[in-house]
């Protein structure tokens, strides 16, 4: 197996509309840290697979279709199957993040397509014989259920080490980490562009692993997980603190006995399935509020002076309004891959953490969220019994997340 890594900058001009928060006070005014597209490619001699992560709020199906078509085009000289995942930073450009899916703004459709192509091409040029090791462990104190403060602040962490073959010391060429935590450390009032937690973890890993070692951070099933109840601030210093905790835990896991992911002679298998999800419709959630109740909730939040409460109340109103208007099914793709002995599931949108747990219950699987489409939040069926923000704004009917998880499990079993 040959593995490579490539990166491309994703510049954001000042004055760009930013994604993630309805109550952002204005467009971007500068740069806190740079955004990028990171790509990892695997080539088994016959088939090439590329995983690219982009520091944006979401990847819509139009963007996913375009970059996948270009990656398979002979005139692009890439010839690979591509998954594009958003890190889901809330401090990047607005890329059309509408619950249920929407169009990607024209400039970003072009800019992201070009950056993804550049990163993948550089990864292919970087390919060399490498073995892979997988570690799975727990991460404490960084992410927690954002709607239930009393829930334990423990999330799963997956770390894939890529080691150069033929090096007597088994030098680590790079690391891929999957972190199921919303990258929302920075506040809604911020207007500086940043990759937020995913970018900070990349920097921290590179600093700890040393020169020449690449690091890619993908966001996992983080629909209901964030730093809301674990962060001590909402600034660059807090980003560094939390990122340091993640990077230190990754390094600890790298010292533990590994599970083999792939080696010489390993093969790549890929599969996908399209599903049509029923729309949620009004009244799906226990305790769903009507327009008058939502308006009263917004007024109460504004009177409280709590900016988070105001943001949630406004988002809830927008989400319920969109849900009431939607009647057509929501089309999504579920992706699965086997890279040697490494099983990978790529889910669209924002699956709850328990959705990933239902895929990994039969054995270790690296579960990614925000891949090749954005249907919005994907709560568990059980969560629809609670009138929580993520459930109220979800555009899909109860059971949708379980259908996606079941499709991912079946695809992996069939391979």
């Amino acid at each position: 197996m040959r593995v490579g890594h490539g990166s491309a900058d994703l510049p954001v001009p000042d004055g760009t509309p930013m994604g993630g928060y309805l109550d952002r006070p204005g467009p971007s005014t500068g740069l806190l840290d740079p955004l990028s597209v990171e790509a990892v490619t695997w080539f088994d001699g016959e088939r090439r697979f590329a995983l690219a992560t982009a520091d944006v709020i979401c990847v819509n199906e139009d963007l996913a279709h375009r970059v996948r078509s270009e990656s398979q085009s002979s005139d692009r000289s890439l010839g690979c199957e591509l998954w594009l995942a958003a890190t889901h930073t809330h401090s990047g450009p607005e890329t059309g993040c509408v619950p249920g899916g929407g169009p990607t703004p024209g400039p970003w459709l072009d800019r992201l397509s070009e950056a993804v192509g550049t990163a993948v091409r550089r990864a292919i040029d970087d390919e060399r014989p490498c073995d892979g090791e997988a570690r799975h462990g727990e991460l404490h104190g960084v992410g927690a259920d954002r709607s239930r403060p009393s829930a334990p602040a423990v999330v799963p962490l997956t770390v894939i080490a890529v080691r150069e073959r033929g090096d007597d010391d088994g030098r680590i060429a790079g690391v891929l980490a999957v972190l199921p935590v919303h990258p929302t450390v920075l506040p809604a009032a911020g207007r500086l562009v940043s990759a937020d937690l995913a970018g900070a973890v990349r920097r921290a890993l590179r600093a700890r692993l040393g020169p020449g070692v690449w690091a890619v951070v993908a966001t996992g099933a983080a629909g209901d997980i964030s730093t809301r109840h674990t962060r001590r601030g909402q600034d660059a210093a807090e980003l560094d603190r939390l990122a340091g905790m993640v990077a230190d835990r990754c390094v600890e896991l790298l010292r533990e006995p590994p599970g083999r992911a792939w080696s010489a002679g390993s093969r790549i298998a890929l599969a996908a399935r399209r599903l049509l999800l029923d729309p949620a419709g009004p009244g799906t959630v226990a305790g769903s509020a009507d327009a008058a109740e939502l308006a009263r909730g917004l007024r109460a939040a504004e009177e409280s002076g709590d900016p988070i409460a105001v943001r949630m109340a406004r988002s809830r109103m927008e989400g319920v309004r969109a849900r009431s208007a939607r009647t057509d099914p929501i089309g999504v793709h579920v992706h699965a891959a086997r890279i040697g002995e490494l099983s990978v599931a790529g889910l669209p949108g924002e699956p709850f953490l328990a959705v990933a747990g239902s895929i990994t219950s039969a054995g270790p699987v690296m579960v990614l969220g925000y891949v090749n489409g954005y249907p919005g939040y994907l709560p568990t069926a059980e969560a629809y019994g609670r009138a929580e923000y993520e459930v109220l704004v979800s555009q899909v009917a109860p059971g949708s997340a379980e259908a996606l998880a079941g499709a991912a499990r079946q695809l992996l079993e069939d391979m």
Side-chain angles (χ1 to χ4, degrees):
M1 187 78 70
R2 298 177 64 86
V3 185
H5 167 260
S7 181
D9 294 336
L10 196 60
V12 180
D14 289 355
T16 295
M18 299 176 72
Y21 296 116
L22 286 175
D23 55 346
R24 181 89 62 184
S28 65
T29 58
L31 182 69
L32 181 62
D33 55 84
L35 308 189
S36 66
V37 172
E38 306 288 330
V40 183
T41 58
W42 292 263
F43 184 56
D44 66 7
E46 295 182 4
R47 171 170 279 180
R48 176 173 282 118
F49 170 55
L51 170 64
T53 64
D55 290 327
V56 292
I57 184 70
C58 74
V59 172
N60 283 316
E61 284 210 332
D62 59 350
L63 173 60
H65 176 74
R66 178 162 166 179
V67 297
R68 293 182 70 203
S69 297
E70 291 179 351
S71 72
Q72 296 164 352
S73 174
S74 58
D75 62 352
R76 283 274 181 152
S77 302
L78 298 179
C80 63
E81 176 67 22
L82 171 68
W83 296 4
L84 178 60
T87 60
H88 199 52
T89 176
H90 285 44
S91 294
E94 174 55 66
T95 55
C97 189
V98 178
T104 303
W108 289 105
L109 189 63
D110 294 335
R111 291 169 187 167
L112 281 161
S113 298
E114 186 61 34
V116 170
T118 298
V120 171
R121 193 173 295 107
R122 288 171 176 169
I124 293 171
D125 291 342
D126 182 60
E127 287 175 354
R128 64 196 74 177
C130 292
D131 295 326
E133 302 168 351
R135 275 95 165 176
H136 306 273
E138 291 184 339
L139 174 66
H140 295 251
V142 174
D145 188 318
R146 58 186 191 171
S147 295
R148 291 181 283 179
S150 60
V154 181
V155 297
L157 178 65
T158 297
V159 184
I160 308 298
V162 179
R163 293 189 183 272
E164 290 191 25
R165 194 176 308 132
D167 189 318
D168 292 339
D169 296 326
R171 189 184 76 85
I172 291 181
V175 167
L176 168 61
V178 180
L179 178 64
V181 179
H182 254 70
T184 51
V185 177
L186 298 174
R191 296 171 63 186
L192 296 179
V193 169
S194 170
D196 206 286
L197 186 60
V201 173
R202 283 198 306 259
R203 295 191 299 274
L205 276 172
R206 290 167 182 164
R208 284 156 175 76
L209 296 173
V213 180
W214 51 263
V216 174
V217 178
T219 304
D224 55 342
I225 305 297
S226 79
T227 63
R228 182 178 301 161
H229 305 300
T230 57
R231 64 194 180 213
R232 300 173 184 171
Q234 291 192 273
D235 54 16
E238 182 62 4
L239 272 179
D240 290 342
R241 186 186 76 84
L242 292 172
M245 293 173 64
V246 178
D248 288 343
R249 181 62 178 135
C250 288
V251 171
E252 287 178 0
L253 288 173
L254 289 173
R255 297 193 185 109
E256 296 182 2
R260 190 174 73 168
W262 68 84
S263 58
S266 291
R267 310 295 291 179
I268 297 170
L270 300 165
R273 180 174 300 166
R274 184 164 177 80
L275 285 77
L276 293 177
L277 305 179
D278 290 333
T284 302
V285 182
S288 289
D290 61 21
E293 289 178 273
L294 291 169
R296 286 195 294 272
L298 176 57
R299 286 196 297 272
E302 290 172 338
E303 290 170 1
S304 74
D306 182 348
I308 293 179
V310 172
R311 182 166 67 250
M312 292 301 177
R314 288 177 178 167
S315 298
R316 190 177 294 115
M317 290 182 69
E318 292 296 321
V320 171
R321 185 179 298 120
R323 167 187 286 171
S324 299
R326 181 178 292 278
T327 58
D328 296 333
I330 299 170
V332 296
H333 284 90
V334 176
H335 297 272
R338 287 197 186 275
I339 307 169
E341 297 179 31
L342 176 65
S343 297
V344 190
L347 302 182
E350 306 194 48
F352 275 27
L353 186 58
V355 178
S358 70
I359 298 174
T360 62
S361 59
V365 180
M366 186 171 76
V367 181
L368 309 176
Y370 309 89
V371 175
N372 288 349
Y374 188 75
Y377 286 106
L378 296 166
T380 59
E382 176 270 336
Y384 283 82
R386 306 188 299 267
E388 296 172 354
Y389 160 74
E390 296 84 1
V391 181
L392 286 169
V393 302
S394 173
Q395 299 298 301
V396 298
S400 297
E402 285 76 9
L404 295 181
R409 287 195 304 269
Q410 188 63 55
L411 288 172
L412 289 169
E413 290 172 8
D414 291 346
M415 287 192 289

